[in-house]
Amino acid sequence: MSAPSPNTATGSRASGGIEGTDPTDVEGAGAPPRANGELVFTESWQPRVFATTMRLQEQGLLDWETFRQGLIGQIATHETELARPDDYDYWGCWLRALEDLLTGTAIVAPSELDLSAEAIAARPPDH
Amino acid sequence: MSHHHHDEPHGHHLHGSELADAQTIRAQALEAVLIDKGIMTSTEVDNYIETWNERIGPLEGAKVVARAWADADFRARLADDATNAVGEVGVNPGRLEHLEVVMNEPGVHNVVCCSLCSCYPWTLLGLPPGWYKSPEYRSRIVREPRAVLAEMGLDVEDRTTIKVWDSSSEVRYLVIPERPAGTDDLSEDELVDLVTRDSMIGVARITPPGQS
């Protein structure tokens, strides 16, 4: 199957300006879970957060290496806190790393995230 | 009908898990803030995910369809007990709830929706496309399927019956599209490559090889 590379859908790699920032290239401590070479998502928010991260990187709002180091830090902390291996939550680490980077670089204020979360939590369930 | 519907793929949702709910809310909050700031759009995220979906999700469903075309015995087992039969092509049925397949044939066209939310056989098809979750598709495909399918580029002849299958948290549906003409010589792997996500939802036909 001639599947397009993710970069073809959202602009060329050149627009991001950084070679090798596709997470498919990530190996080692920060590598996403995979099955048969494909990224594994278990909740619908996970691919959205993943895609959001890629968009921010393309727009130059997120430095991939900074993000990756943050992710590795989150995973390391998470692993020391794990009660059972089955509780391993890669995308939870990803989400925290992204939140930290965006608030740390003042792209987003923590209070904005809190307000938005309150509004979403208050929505009727079948929204 | 229970009221467990919510805007989530149910197949692997951690029911009752406060952690998962809290993460969903935080993730949605982050996306909403970035959209409000004009940093990105929901469509951009959709497009990115769709690209990944082309590689992740529909392939599992396509394997089921290709085997059903190639192996009449498998097709019969699929009709009888799809939830278990899909394991024969390597799909983990533990992640599906109850699966039913609906087979297109001359005179009968099947299409799937979830009129209440966005139930979807996502272990087979990946994440649902944005339009599948739209209020317009969910309501109109039930009331006027022929018109909606035509708008989506699929003209169904008047003499063909259209059956609309409304998914729920208990039952998911997979459409087995008709095998296109001129594919008798293809291997099962080659057949897999022909099967599209939309054909397995029932909103498209499969393009015969060489006509793309």
Side-chain angles (χ1 to χ4, degrees), chain A residues 3 6 9-10 24 38 42-45 47-48 52 54-55 59 89 92 96 99 107 112 116 120 126, chain B residues 8-9 12-14 23-24 26 28-31 34 37 39-40 42 44 46 48 51-52 55 116 127 193:
Chain A
T10 52
T24 53
E38 306 289 10
T42 55
E43 297 280 341
S44 62
W45 63 266
R48 298 200 73 79
T52 297
M54 296 302 108
R55 282 297 300 156
Q59 291 169 292
D89 178 18
R96 279 192 296 280
E99 287 169 337
I107 292 170
E112 290 176 308
S116 176
I120 288 164
D126 206 19
Chain B
E8 278 286 309
H12 204 71
H13 188 69
L14 301 172
Q23 284 182 328
T24 299
R26 276 169 50 215
Q28 289 176 349
L30 181 62
E31 182 175 335
L34 293 171
K37 286 177 178 288
I39 288 173
M40 64 179 197
S42 185
E44 287 170 347
D46 283 346
Y48 205 100
T51 306
W52 277 96
R55 299 165 60 163
L116 290 177
L127 293 163
D193 286 345

Side-chain angles (χ1 to χ4, degrees), chain A residues 14-73:
Chain A
S15 70
I18 305 161
E19 274 297 317
T21 49
D22 185 326
T24 53
D25 297 337
V26 175
E27 292 180 358
R34 281 154 198 279
N36 301 320
E38 306 289 10
L39 292 174
V40 173
F41 300 113
T42 55
E43 297 280 341
S44 62
W45 63 266
Q46 295 164 354
R48 298 200 73 79
V49 167
F50 170 75
T52 297
T53 310
M54 296 302 108
R55 282 297 300 156
L56 292 169
Q57 185 265 315
E58 282 179 357
Q59 291 169 292
L61 293 170
L62 177 150
D63 174 67
W64 182 256
E65 184 55 26
T66 307
F67 173 74
R68 195 175 75 93
Q69 290 303 328
L71 176 62
I72 289 169

Side-chain angles (χ1 to χ4, degrees), chain B residues 71-205:
Chain B
D71 180 343
D73 290 339
F74 175 75
R75 190 184 180 93
R77 288 193 294 279
L78 202 57
D80 184 47
D81 180 0
T83 315
N84 281 309
V86 296
E88 295 179 41
V89 295
V91 175
N92 179 359
R95 292 169 59 192
L96 283 164
E97 301 188 22
H98 185 71
L99 178 72
E100 297 270 347
V101 296
V102 286
M103 314 245 186
N104 287 351
E105 52 192 83
V108 179
H109 181 84
N110 296 285
V111 61
V112 178
C113 71
C114 176
S115 62
L116 290 177
C117 50
S118 58
C119 297
Y120 189 72
W122 77 304
T123 51
L124 293 167
L125 298 186
L127 293 163
W131 55 258
Y132 186 84
K133 301 166 81 167
S134 72
E136 191 188 4
Y137 177 77
R138 284 158 42 204
S139 60
R140 289 188 59 222
I141 193 71
V142 176
R143 285 187 279 114
E144 41 176 350
R146 208 172 297 270
V148 173
L149 291 176
E151 287 166 26
M152 297 178 82
L154 176 62
D155 287 313
V156 180
E157 295 169 319
D158 285 343
R159 63 172 185 270
T160 296
T161 303
I162 299 177
K163 295 184 182 175
V164 181
W165 300 87
D166 193 355
S167 311
S168 69
S169 56
E170 289 81 33
V171 185
R172 309 300 167 84
Y173 297 96
L174 180 76
V175 175
I176 306 293
E178 286 192 86
R179 181 171 178 163
T183 57
D184 290 354
D185 296 335
L186 297 187
S187 70
E188 201 173 311
D189 284 347
E190 289 168 328
L191 291 173
V192 167
D193 286 345
L194 298 178
V195 184
T196 62
R197 178 195 69 196
D198 286 359
S199 74
M200 293 183 278
I201 304 175
V203 299
R205 277 193 197 88

